[in-house]
Structure formats: structure tokens, C-alpha cells
Amino acid sequence: MRVPIDWLKDFVQFDLSADALAEKLTMAGLEVEEVLETPQGTVLSLYITPNRGDCLSIFGIAREVYALLGDACEPTPLFWRLNEWILQPPPVEPGETAQYARVEVLDPDLCPRYGARVIRGVKIAPSPAKVQNRLLAAGMRPISNIVDATNYVMLELGQPLHAFDLDTLHQQSIIVRRARPGERITTLDEREHALQPDMLMICDAERPVAVAGIMGGAETEVTENTRNILMESAHFNPLSIRRTSRALDLRTESSYRFERFVDPNLVVVAQFRVCELIEEWTGVAPVPGMLDVYPNPYPARTLHVRLSRAEQMLGFPIDPHEAEQTLARLNLKPSRTETGFEVQVPLYRPDLQREIDLIEELGRILGYERIPETPPAGTTTQGKDSPEGAFAERLRTILLSAGLQEVVSHTLEPENPFQTAGKGLSEQLYQPIMLRNPMSEELSFLRFSLLSSLVRTADYNRRRGIRDLHLFEIGRVFALGEQGYHEWLHLGILMTGNHHSPHWAEKPKPVDFYHLKGVVEHMLHALGIEARFLPVGDHDPRFHPGRSAYVHDKDDQRLGVIGEIHPNIAREYEFRQRVYVGEFSLNALRHAAAHTVAYRPLPIFPPVLRDIAILVPEEVPVGQLFDTIREVGGDWLESVQLFDRYTGSHIPEGLHSLAFSLVFRSRERTLTDEEVNQRVEQIFQALETRHGAVARR
Amino acid sequence: MESIQAIVAEAESAIANCRSTAELQAVESHYLGKKGAISQLLRQIGTLPPEQRPLFGQQVNEARAYIETRIAERREVLAQQEIAERLRAESLDITLPGVPLRPARLHPLTLTMRRVKQALLGLGFEFVEGPELERFEYNFGALNYPEDHPAMDAQNSFHVGDGWLLRTQTTAIQGRIFEEVQRGERSLPLRIAIIGRCFRYENVDATHSHTFHQVDAFMVDEGVSMAHLKGTLTQFARIMFGEEVRVRFRPDFFPFVEPGVDFAISWKGGWLELGGAGLIHPNILEHYGIDSERYSGFAFGLGIERIPMLQYGIDDLRLFLENDMRFLAQFPLL
């Protein structure tokens, strides 16, 4: 809201510079965002929090200035007159006005108060230059004396007004009611609206003539030919205004204020004020009397505040005289009680509901700089991380040690092949979740899998010439299942390009499946998880069917899936290089991870080393050979490693040569060459009979 | 039979002529090996008269010791020559670049969240997790937002299904925690913190994003006041931003706190607004059956992105979730 300083001084005189005043207001919760120098003078631009509708006017700000500055400012006679009227409006009678107009409120729940006055025989002309300047300074365009008067009073007091051309109203009637099915209205901005039955309308005897509290209709507006005016000043239900304004996409200075609650007493005060100004500018007095429909007046409210409670909550001592003075300057009319003050809450402060609200008023006017810095006393609590958070931290350290770069990417994403092609981490069927109100197609889905954002990140970097990527991300994914919405924390891995950074001493080597698997094995080992890799085959169309694996723990729970992305998807993203990815459930990993580590004594007896080589058909999975070697090797076999794999010349078509390095060791004694040789022979035999291998001795 | 003296003289000359440790090795085995000249001499001992034997044996052994010593001396000389040669030959261009490791770092948001977490753990807060896809009720209703109030305008949300949205603030966890208190699964006093992702329907520019991160912390105990809030925030701010930092409160409005403030820290000669705070609204405590006369609480929250932006001078919020490697490579490893 814009507050021209010279306008403010109509109500309070003070010696402060605009900057000093801005600082005071800001520190009292009325944030001055900017001090503007305009052709019409200095203007404060304020942000008013949504609970302080009473500050959406020059007068409302003047009230705050008075409460803040106290004796350092001088309220003007106009201030005191308006202040008295607002706290206790003078009584009104219909008088002669009833002869010229009629008001009926059919829906008092949405329009608790409606006031109308009539002004006859005005001549439409420009408003005085001073008024025009003030409107411009406040950010409004001058139009004509009557319209400017309504805007002027709205800015001054915060009560939106609307002037109808009385002669365009059928039967000079105002009927306030909900819209009827099929009714339409064209508003002042030339837009035509279809109305819904829950929208409150100002109507004449036949049709809607204004969208209540939001905008007038084009057919009844004041024009240069207007002679007779019906001036509307009303109080509307904030919720109804907000909903209608949103439904019609009509946001106005008027709806902005009504949404935030406008003092029902202003219905009368603003009428007095606007007619007073019109008479002053045009010489035409209003018809005596005012129509005022207010069947259920808002009740007066009193609250009590205990001084000791205020001191306890704010944490600083408060002088009772200072407290009383502060409450009095806020128009709260405090009276002393044994423990504090009873106050009368003006209707314009609906935000003051209970004691704590008064404590805040005391705090903010006395100044929060008085609050000391006291560390909390009493029971201390133990700080601790959430189990999920702590595990994610552990995982980050492990992946960092595997040489992966962490990324953090967007949750909102476009439709993509990683969501339509299934999830891979569960047998259940899940659907991706679409937003009801996306900002754009690019941001219309909740992330279904981390693979989509990792691949987009790879794509983004590749377009900037960065092709070697080794990434991980820990983030949430979302899906709709039969049980409703699901949200999981996942780990995603992506590796593509060359395995190591370009270097003069080493030839570039493209990342392959086994690099990815190595990282995953490193991670699983660090977590103490024994896992199995099972072929995905054609169960997941996101992956190369021959280069992908499910990762299961020893209880056969699925931890994740890894593999090369399917060439069809790679083609969609225009990847020429192979892209390897993996996705894991953090929950599954956390549950599978070893929680304790038991130390084993270092071996005492020497190892016996044997390297063995075999020729074996390539279609035999090497994992099965490992299983056989371990089984036959028994307790003595401490470790087995594959150190060479060879195909090519001297090796028959369809076979490959594999060389394993075996370490035998007993925990009880030194093994003899003979007994180890015998065990190796048994291994050879098993490999031959079970897998068709030929020993290369 | 050659005389001992002749053999020693011959060996001495052979040793001196050796040009490498390998040659010396051959000389050594020629004279001192099992079938070497010295062994041959010893084998002759049987042919001597018994009375000559001790002396002969002694002389042969002295000859052997002498040759051994000469060989050892020569070996040391040759070894030193060879090492010197090797060092000359093996000299590297140490200005050639080293073999690079893969660039692996944590994301700057993770680094910041770790620091925030450490600070709050040290202040006794327990971290909890809450859903990003949240019920409307927890995001607004449970936080004392009046039905359809303009206060929600600053928190335009992404809707998913009936009553579900992407949380606009991590404060949404409060209602869930208070329900746990109500069900007896938690007891007072409480110090709870949450760090996580939030969403608001907001156009993206250098300082705004529809997706951002927040940390929220709240405490409930007997007699918790604005002074405790200021004390805690000051401790937190000093851990994060340095010992000299001061905290300033300014009145602000959030439906879930009363009084509500925004808090700023002293920064480069001015004040920098960091987040919102206040005393938990008694309506909320009472809603969950907590006696608001006996118990009170404070809550504060702030944006995560703001912190690395200040710390590293980053001027564009969008960089964080774009994951340009040239950006990510600029931050510390841990």
C-alpha cells in the first residue's frame, strides 16, 4: 500500500524524516518496502500482513503512527473526529433518502451491513488538483469528481465505496442477494461473467448491477451525463468476497480490502466522509438521511491481559503505566484490574482474539529489542538425527568414497519414459502422480523414479560438453498405488562416459556394466549387506534386457535394480554413449544393512595360494562357477578372485578361459601342500562335471 | 696345486675387475661357492700329513675371510654406482600432471543442511521426517490458518488430489508431532527439528523457485518465552555465521505463532532477514490437548538456499537444482 506523507499529515503531525518514520513502522510490523520520491511528494510503500486489514488506509496507518510515537506526534482535529466516529458512529435515520431509493438485503449472511445515500443534481467534472495528485501518489488514476471521491475515501479510511447512476437502477432499488442461475453481468472492465449461485450480487429490481464488494457493472456506472447518485457503502463477508473474486478472476482494491475484513462501523463513517467531500468539491449536499440495513450488529468484545503473563511470554519486565498508555493509544480503552487490564476491542481489530494477541501488541509497540537472549532452561533434551536422515548421511559418505558426485534435482518433471515403463523396485503396480494445477507441462508430474532426473542431468551436462559423469542422488519419489499416495526415499546412480578423467598416462576407457556393479558392490560391502544379482531380462523395459540386474538381499528382498538404459530410451535422449544407472530403496537398504560389526582375530597360520585356470562355455554364468568353487573349497577357502578372462586365438569358439586366484587357510593349523592340492583337484572335478569346464593345468 | 696365495691374488684381481654386482656374484661363486676354488682347497686337506692339517685349514679359512671381505667392499662400491646410475636414469619430469581422481563431492545444499543439522543437534533438537506430499489439513488447518484466508496467498500450493498438496512449509510437521503427544507416543518437553523440501506455486527467477528447502525447529516446555526463542536463535546464528552475529526481531504475521516475528542477523553492517519465528499459537497447543497456561513453545523456520548464497556469494537460486558440473565442482568436498 502506498502512503503519501503529506496525506498522512492530514491526520498526524510529526517531525520525523520519511526514512526515520519508515524504520519505526517497519520495526512495529508495518514493513516499509520502499520510500519513493514521486512528482507528488514522498510516498511510503508498505507491505501489510494479511491479518491487518485495518492498516489498508492512510487513517489506519495514522492510528499506528500515533500508537508508536505517542507524545512525539500531534494528531489533528480531523484525526480525533474520525477516530470518535469509528469507535462510536453517530446514529442514522433514513430521512428523505427513503423517498429516492430503496435497499433490501436478502442474504445478510454474506452482507451483514449495507448503507446507501443519495446525492441529487451533481455535475460530473474533474476533481480538485490536490485530490488528483494524492490519488496519483497513491497509485490510482483520477477519473471524475464522484469516482475520485469514492477512491479517495477508500484510500483514506479503508472502506470501499461504489457510486451508481441512480437513474439507471430499475425502480431505484438495491437488492443484495446471491446470483440466480443463468444470470450474467458485464463489469466496468468490459468483461462479461457467468455467475454462480453462491456469488453475492448487488442487484436492482431486475438484474445484477455489481459484483458485491468486487466491481461495479458497466450499465449502471457513473458517466459524464450522470446527475443523481446512489452511494453504496457496505460490509461483506470476507470469505464470500475471496471466493467470488477468485472464481471470476477479478481482483480489485475493493476485494483486497473486503477479503481482509473491513470495519462495519466504516459503512456509516465513510458515507459521512464521502458526502462531506463531494459537497466541498461540488457544492451539492446529499439528500438528508441514510439507508442503513444492519440487522445483526457485531457485538462489542472485551479481553483481559495479565501483566505477569505478558512479562513471562515476552521475557522482559513491563512498567504498568507504560502498558496502560500503550493499550490506550491503540484505542483499546484499558481499565485496570487486579492482575492487569481489561480492554475494549474496536471492531476494526478482528485479529485481537485472546490474551496472547494483546501481549503481542504490547511487545511490538514497546519494542522487541527489549527481549533478552536467554538460553532455554529446564530439562535438556538429547539431540538426535532421524533414522532415515542418519542412514542417508552414511550412504553419502560411502558413495563419495566410490568416487560419485552428488546431485540434487527437481521433484517436478515432465512426462518421461522412466515413469511409463514401470518402477522396477516393486512387484506392485503404481501410477505416476500428476499435479492438478501444474505451472507447465515440464513441471506436471511428481518424480516417479530418480532415473529420470539423473538422465536429464546427464543430458544437461552433455549439452555443455561434459560427458564423463559419475553421479548419485538421494531423493524422494512418489507414486499412486491401490492404498493411496506413496512417498519413498531412493538412491539413484548414473555412470556414463569414460571411467577416469582424461589423462596423458592412461587411455580413456568407457564405463561399462561392471564399473557400475563394482560401485554397487562397494556400497553393499560397506553396509555389510550380502546381496545377489539376478537378471532383469525383459521384466523392465527401461533397461537393456541383457545388461541389467535386480539386487536382492539374502532374504530375497529387492533392494534395487541396476543396468544399462534401454537403447530406445537412450535414443529418445539422443545419447550416443552408453548410460548405466541404478536405483535403490533407502528403506530396503537400511533394513538389510548390518547393524553390528563383530571383530574377527587376524589369521595366525600361513595361507596357501593356488591359481587355477579353466576353459568353460561362455553361456555358463560365472556366478555359478564361484558358487561351486566356494562350496567345494569349504572352510579352508578363504577367498576366491577372478583375475583373468580371455577369449580369442587358441580358445575354441564359444568358450572362454577363466583364471581364479584361490587362497586357502585354516584357522587351526598350517595346511600341507598335499591336502590343498587334493582340494583343488576336487574343485576342478566339480567344475568339469557340473559346468562342462576343462581344467587348464 | 695352486698355492693359497696365488688363488687369493687371482681372486683379488677378479674382484677388482668386476663392473657390476652381477659379475661380482659370479666371481663370488667361483671362489666361495660349493664347488669354488676355496672349497677345492679344503678338499685337499685329506692329502696332507696330519701335522700340517691345522695350519693349512687355518690358512684356507683366512683366505676365505679375506676374499669375503674384499667382495663385500666391492659389492658396496658397485651397488652405490648402480644406484647412482639408476637415479640418473629414472629422473621424472615432475611438472607433468598427476593422475586425476574422479571429481566427487557433496552437493552444496547437502553441505549446508549438514551444518544446519549439526548446529541444531548440538542445541538438543531431535530431527524427524515428514511427507513432502502432505494433507492440506496439516499444511494449513492444523497450523491455525482460518479457512480460505488471504494468509494462504503467500503460500500458493500445488494440488494433487482432494485434500492433498505438496507441502509449502516444513512447519506442516507440527500437527503430526502434536498428535503423537496426544496419543502418548511422545511426551513434553519437546525439541523437534525438520529439514526438507517445500513447494510453492511461484514463477522461477534468480531469487524464487517453485522448489526450495527449509528447516523448521520448535520447542515446547513450561515457561518458554520470546527470550528463549531469541537466545536459541542467537546460538544457532552464531554457530552458522560466526560469533559476532546478533539477532533482531521484527513483528510479522504467521497464523501459527503469536507473537510472530521475522528474524534478521547482523550482516555486513546491516540486517539480513533470514526467516520467521514466534511463540506457538495457544490455539494449536489447546487443539492437541496441551495446557497452554502451563506449556508454551517457540518455533522458527528459515530457507536453506539462502545460507550457501550468502556463504559463497551465489547470485542465482536456479543453479542449485540444475546440477551443472562446473557449478558443483566449486564447493568443498565435505
Side-chain angles (χ1 to χ4, degrees):
Chain A
M1 201 194 47
R2 287 162 68 116
V3 177
I5 295 282
D6 83 298
W7 197 345
L8 186 63
K9 287 191 168 173
D10 279 5
F11 303 105
V12 275
Q13 297 290 326
F14 50 83
D15 272 341
L16 256 55
S17 71
D19 285 327
L21 179 67
E23 173 71 12
K24 283 262 183 201
L25 287 171
T26 298
M27 291 313 292
L30 297 154
E31 187 183 355
V32 177
E33 294 180 307
E34 248 183 311
V35 179
L36 306 163
E37 293 303 332
T38 73
Q40 294 84 27
T42 307
V43 175
L44 304 182
S45 172
L46 284 99
Y47 168 73
I48 305 294
T49 54
N51 59 327
R52 292 302 303 274
D54 63 299
C55 289
L56 293 172
S57 65
I58 311 291
F59 185 75
I61 300 299
R63 269 192 308 234
E64 286 284 313
V65 170
Y66 170 61
L68 272 172
L69 298 185
D71 294 339
C73 72
E74 179 74 36
T76 63
L78 179 60
F79 177 93
W80 290 122
R81 178 159 65 97
L82 291 172
N83 199 50
E84 281 313 306
W85 277 0
I86 287 167
L87 294 176
Q88 190 60 58
V92 292
E93 292 294 331
E96 277 175 52
T97 305
Q99 297 169 21
Y100 297 101
R102 193 173 71 84
V103 170
E104 195 178 351
V105 177
L106 299 181
D107 290 313
D109 57 327
L110 303 188
C111 176
R113 189 171 200 178
Y114 194 98
R117 294 196 78 176
V118 169
I119 307 165
R120 294 176 51 78
V122 289
K123 189 172 183 310
I124 304 302
S127 57
K130 179 183 166 192
V131 170
Q132 294 198 24
N133 277 334
R134 282 189 169 179
L135 290 176
L136 285 169
M140 291 194 92
R141 197 163 47 89
I143 294 166
S144 68
N145 47 9
I146 299 299
V147 176
D148 290 358
T150 62
N151 285 334
Y152 189 90
V153 172
M154 176 181 71
L155 294 172
E156 187 177 79
L157 295 177
Q159 170 69 52
L161 299 169
H162 185 66
F164 291 99
D165 182 331
L166 180 59
D167 301 317
T168 62
L169 296 176
H170 289 271
Q171 299 174 23
Q172 285 74 49
S173 287
I174 290 290
I175 298 164
V176 184
R177 60 167 172 82
R178 285 176 167 85
R180 291 180 182 142
E183 279 186 330
R184 304 179 78 81
I185 188 171
T186 301
T187 40
L188 287 172
D189 56 359
E190 306 293 328
R191 282 170 63 197
E192 194 184 347
H193 305 274
L195 303 173
Q196 303 299 320
D198 58 345
M199 296 175 172
L200 187 71
M201 293 293 132
I202 309 300
C203 308
D204 64 12
E206 293 184 358
R207 57 185 172 157
V209 294
V211 183
I214 300 174
M215 193 181 275
E219 293 175 18
T220 52
E221 71 175 309
V222 171
T223 66
E224 53 193 24
N225 301 319
T226 299
R227 289 294 167 264
N228 301 317
I229 304 287
L230 183 136
M231 184 65 72
E232 166 194 291
S233 167
H235 173 78
F236 297 109
N237 174 304
L239 206 54
S240 156
I241 296 294
R242 179 169 166 84
R243 288 180 177 163
T244 303
S245 150
R246 204 163 35 187
L248 296 179
D249 194 23
L250 264 184
R251 279 150 234 255
T252 61
E253 291 279 342
S254 172
S255 70
Y256 185 75
R257 286 174 173 78
F258 281 126
E259 271 181 33
R260 285 158 175 76
F261 191 92
V262 177
D263 182 358
N265 286 353
L266 278 175
V267 167
V268 174
V269 179
Q271 284 286 11
F272 279 46
R273 181 70 177 144
V274 75
C275 290
E276 170 180 299
L277 290 176
I278 291 173
E279 185 173 355
E280 186 186 318
W281 301 347
T282 65
V284 180
V287 173
M290 170 179 166
L291 304 178
D292 180 20
V293 183
Y294 191 24
N296 302 301
Y298 280 82
R301 281 187 300 124
T302 61
L303 287 177
H304 187 257
V305 57
R306 290 162 296 170
L307 207 55
S308 61
R309 183 70 173 172
E311 289 179 326
Q312 188 199 357
M313 293 285 99
L314 294 172
F316 63 85
I318 301 171
D319 173 59
H321 295 286
E322 210 184 356
E324 186 168 14
Q325 204 173 37
T326 301
L327 295 170
R329 284 186 185 137
L330 286 166
N331 270 338
L332 292 168
K333 298 197 189 318
S335 54
R336 287 225 188 196
T337 67
E338 247 173 63
T339 54
F341 302 95
E342 185 169 277
V343 305
Q344 316 285 324
V345 181
L347 283 181
Y348 64 79
R349 291 300 303 270
D351 60 314
L352 303 183
Q353 291 285 338
R354 51 187 295 174
E355 185 181 36
I356 192 72
D357 301 317
L358 298 175
I359 293 174
E360 175 175 61
E361 288 301 288
L362 286 172
R364 99 186 156 85
I365 301 293
L366 296 177
Y368 286 150
E369 70 279 0
R370 296 196 195 183
I371 298 173
E373 293 151 11
T374 314
T379 333
T380 50
T381 44
Q382 174 76 50
K384 65 176 176 189
D385 200 353
S386 66
E388 297 89 343
F391 184 73
E393 284 296 300
R394 190 173 158 201
L395 211 48
R396 282 192 182 96
T397 307
I398 292 170
L399 293 161
L400 212 53
S401 76
L404 300 192
Q405 164 72 47
E406 188 186 28
V407 296
V408 176
S409 48
H410 278 287
T411 302
L412 300 179
E413 63 175 19
E415 193 169 11
N416 65 73
F418 291 98
Q419 56 180 191
T420 50
K423 213 170 139 40
L425 289 192
S426 170
E427 302 299 335
Q428 275 178 279
L429 203 64
Y430 291 106
Q431 297 294 322
I433 300 173
M434 198 179 170
L435 291 178
R436 279 201 180 165
N437 60 333
M439 292 174 72
S440 69
E441 232 173 86
E442 284 297 297
L443 304 169
S444 54
F445 280 92
L446 299 193
R447 183 159 64 177
F448 190 64
S449 154
L450 293 183
L451 302 185
S452 54
S453 37
L454 283 168
V455 167
R456 265 198 312 282
T457 296
D459 185 42
Y460 176 99
N461 280 285
R462 185 197 46 168
R463 288 169 195 281
R464 285 155 184 81
I466 303 160
R467 289 187 169 75
D468 301 339
L469 296 162
H470 306 85
L471 311 176
F472 79 95
E473 173 163 15
I474 293 173
R476 307 254 183 124
V477 296
F478 303 82
L480 177 62
E482 281 172 21
Q483 317 286 316
Y485 297 117
H486 295 270
E487 180 173 341
W488 297 284
L489 192 57
H490 274 191
L491 160 69
I493 296 174
L494 179 143
M495 297 172 75
T496 187
N498 285 318
H499 180 253
H500 50 255
S501 308
H503 184 60
W504 57 270
E506 289 171 59
K507 283 215 172 70
K509 184 167 172 37
V511 165
D512 63 27
F513 177 84
Y514 300 105
H515 288 126
L516 171 65
K517 192 178 175 194
V519 165
V520 169
E521 284 171 333
H522 168 82
M523 171 185 82
L524 294 169
H525 183 72
L527 293 172
I529 298 175
E530 278 177 49
R532 295 192 302 136
F533 291 80
L534 308 166
V536 171
D538 48 15
H539 289 292
D540 191 334
R542 302 175 303 174
F543 290 99
H544 187 311
R547 295 185 169 196
S548 49
Y550 291 123
V551 185
H552 286 201
D553 70 4
K554 61 179 191 301
D555 301 325
D556 212 27
Q557 291 298 307
R558 186 168 294 169
L559 306 174
V561 57
I562 65 169
E564 181 177 328
I565 66 171
H566 197 284
N568 282 334
I569 295 182
R571 211 172 49 173
E572 249 181 79
Y573 287 91
E574 296 170 9
F575 275 109
R576 287 213 207 107
Q577 61 199 55
R578 292 176 187 269
V579 180
Y580 291 89
V581 295
E583 185 164 25
F584 292 84
S585 152
L586 250 71
N587 216 22
L589 287 176
R590 186 158 61 91
H591 285 109
H595 297 290
T596 54
V597 172
Y599 154 80
R600 291 182 317 163
L602 298 179
I604 304 166
F605 301 101
V608 181
L609 311 179
R610 290 288 183 275
D611 288 349
I612 64 169
I614 54 171
L615 277 178
V616 67
E618 284 187 84
E619 66 263 22
V620 176
V622 175
Q624 292 181 9
L625 305 176
F626 268 95
D627 289 345
T628 297
I629 294 171
R630 286 204 186 95
E631 183 204 316
V632 179
D635 283 351
W636 288 353
L637 183 63
E638 187 178 83
S639 72
V640 51
Q641 267 190 308
L642 178 70
F643 70 90
D644 188 43
R645 175 176 175 270
Y646 178 75
T647 56
S649 53
H650 312 303
I651 304 289
E653 184 79 8
L655 301 182
H656 54 178
S657 164
L658 301 176
F660 297 91
S661 166
L662 313 181
V663 179
F664 293 89
R665 192 196 314 255
S666 160
R667 301 197 79 84
E668 282 96 39
R669 61 189 173 80
T670 301
L671 297 175
T672 65
D673 275 351
E674 289 70 33
E675 52 195 10
V676 169
N677 290 345
Q678 210 178 350
R679 189 61 60 91
V680 168
E681 202 48 45
Q682 288 164 352
I683 289 173
F684 273 133
Q685 279 167 16
L687 291 172
E688 278 169 21
T689 53
R690 295 187 201 172
H691 308 293
V694 177
R696 304 186 79 197
R697 291 192 174 85
Chain B
M1 184 189 90
E2 273 181 284
S3 71
I4 295 176
Q5 286 76 10
I7 289 175
V8 168
E10 191 191 307
E12 221 172 351
S13 135
I15 290 166
N17 286 330
C18 281
R19 288 285 163 270
S20 70
T21 49
E23 277 178 49
L24 188 64
Q25 191 66 40
V27 169
E28 185 175 20
S29 70
H30 178 78
Y31 290 99
L32 302 180
K34 274 183 185 168
K35 291 174 182 167
I38 294 291
S39 299
Q40 304 277 356
L41 282 177
L42 278 173
R43 243 168 257 135
Q44 294 169 13
I45 203 161
T47 65
L48 293 177
E51 67 280 7
Q52 288 183 14
R53 288 178 190 171
L55 178 64
F56 183 76
Q58 190 193 339
Q59 285 174 335
V60 171
N61 281 335
E62 278 169 11
R64 173 200 291 278
Y66 182 80
I67 294 170
E68 275 172 359
T69 307
R70 295 284 85 77
I71 287 174
E73 285 167 5
R74 184 63 187 154
R75 178 171 284 132
E76 187 54 30
V77 170
L78 288 173
Q80 284 309 321
Q81 282 175 6
E82 282 171 16
I83 286 172
E85 249 167 61
R86 187 176 130 198
L87 293 182
R88 265 195 305 280
E90 288 179 352
S91 173
L92 294 182
D93 177 358
I94 50 84
T95 65
L96 272 173
V99 179
L101 297 182
R102 287 208 302 243
R105 282 147 204 277
L106 290 181
H107 192 279
L109 287 178
T110 299
L111 294 175
T112 302
M113 290 196 246
R114 274 191 170 179
R115 289 185 55 222
V116 168
K117 212 174 229 191
Q118 285 310 318
L120 290 174
L121 287 173
L123 295 172
F125 287 87
E126 175 191 341
F127 275 84
V128 296
E129 305 288 327
E132 292 174 13
L133 179 50
E134 182 58 284
R135 301 197 76 99
F136 185 89
E137 180 56 24
Y138 287 114
N139 198 77
F140 291 120
L143 293 176
N144 199 39
Y145 279 78
E147 187 189 359
D148 211 0
H149 192 263
M152 295 173 187
D153 287 350
Q155 310 233 355
N156 279 336
S157 41
F158 291 107
H159 299 281
V160 171
D162 286 330
W164 289 84
L165 45 69
L166 291 175
R167 74 177 170 206
T168 62
Q169 44 193 354
T170 41
T171 324
I173 197 66
Q174 260 188 33
R176 291 176 176 274
I177 296 294
F178 286 137
E179 280 178 1
E180 291 178 17
V181 172
Q182 208 168 19
R183 289 196 298 264
E185 294 161 18
R186 273 181 192 277
S187 55
L188 303 176
L190 280 180
R191 287 187 206 191
I192 299 290
I194 180 170
I195 197 160
R197 186 169 277 197
C198 301
F199 305 84
R200 291 183 193 171
Y201 196 108
E202 209 163 278
N203 286 319
V204 176
D205 62 27
T207 55
H208 298 87
S209 176
H210 49 73
T211 304
F212 58 97
H213 299 81
Q214 266 191 347
V215 58
D216 245 78
F218 64 98
M219 165 174 187
V220 178
D221 201 346
E222 293 181 19
V224 170
S225 74
M226 291 294 280
H228 298 133
L229 171 62
K230 209 179 203 179
T232 304
L233 273 172
T234 301
Q235 282 180 304
F236 173 72
R238 289 188 175 159
I239 297 169
M240 293 299 297
F241 301 103
E243 279 306 310
E244 304 306 310
V245 165
R246 281 169 299 125
V247 168
R248 186 191 77 173
F249 282 173
R250 196 176 66 76
D252 202 345
F253 171 69
F254 309 97
F256 41 93
V257 282
E258 189 76 23
V261 297
D262 80 35
F263 65 93
I265 56 164
S266 52
W267 189 260
K268 294 182 178 167
W271 293 98
L272 188 88
E273 283 170 17
L274 271 192
L279 295 184
I280 297 175
H281 202 291
N283 287 355
I284 296 176
L285 298 176
E286 288 161 17
H287 179 74
Y288 294 100
I290 297 170
D291 178 359
S292 70
E293 269 295 304
R294 183 173 165 204
Y295 287 102
S296 53
F298 67 64
F300 65 86
L302 64 152
I304 292 293
E305 281 82 353
R306 195 73 191 271
I307 300 169
M309 288 178 94
L310 289 176
Q311 193 184 355
Y312 304 120
I314 298 164
D315 56 3
D316 192 337
L317 187 67
R318 286 168 290 200
L319 288 164
F320 288 116
L321 299 187
E322 261 170 11
N323 295 304
D324 190 314
M325 293 302 137
R326 297 165 300 179
F327 173 72
L328 297 180
Q330 295 180 25
F331 302 98
L333 178 74
L334 279 171

